Amino acid sequence: MIKKFTDAEISEIIQMALSDDVSFDSIRELYGINSDQIKRIMKSNINASSYKTWRARVRVFSARRKHYK
């Protein structure tokens, strides 16, 4: 089941996901969505190259930090 979010909530989720200081767990606690749902929101609301850059950055950070995105 996918929750419906307002434009403002989607914008906040995107800002949080783009931030290097906010983990997927923090977003899940606030919005009740998992990492796959966050990735879907990001993919459908930012341009393709920005999404690819973001995913690459998340992968690098998660390799360095155990409890990151």
Side-chain angles (χ1 to χ4, degrees):
M1 179 180 184
I2 296 178
K3 292 175 79 172
K4 294 288 183 179
F5 294 106
T6 66
D7 289 342
E9 289 171 326
I10 290 172
S11 179
E12 188 170 334
I13 291 168
I14 291 169
Q15 288 178 336
M16 292 174 76
L18 288 172
S19 169
D20 291 338
D21 299 325
V22 180
S23 68
F24 283 158
D25 288 337
S26 298
I27 298 170
R28 181 182 44 78
E29 288 174 15
L30 287 172
Y31 290 99
I33 56 177
N34 63 32
S35 62
D36 290 335
Q37 292 167 316
I38 295 167
K39 291 172 194 171
R40 269 187 252 130
I41 288 171
M42 295 294 285
K43 192 170 192 170
S44 64
N45 288 284
I46 63 176
N47 69 47
S49 66
S50 294
Y51 178 78
K52 289 177 185 178
T53 302
W54 171 73
R55 288 299 299 142
R57 193 175 79 238
V58 168
R59 277 188 217 101
V60 169
F61 270 95
S62 63
R64 286 191 223 157
R65 288 195 233 168
K66 186 177 180 181
H67 298 291
Y68 194 65
K69 297 179 182 175

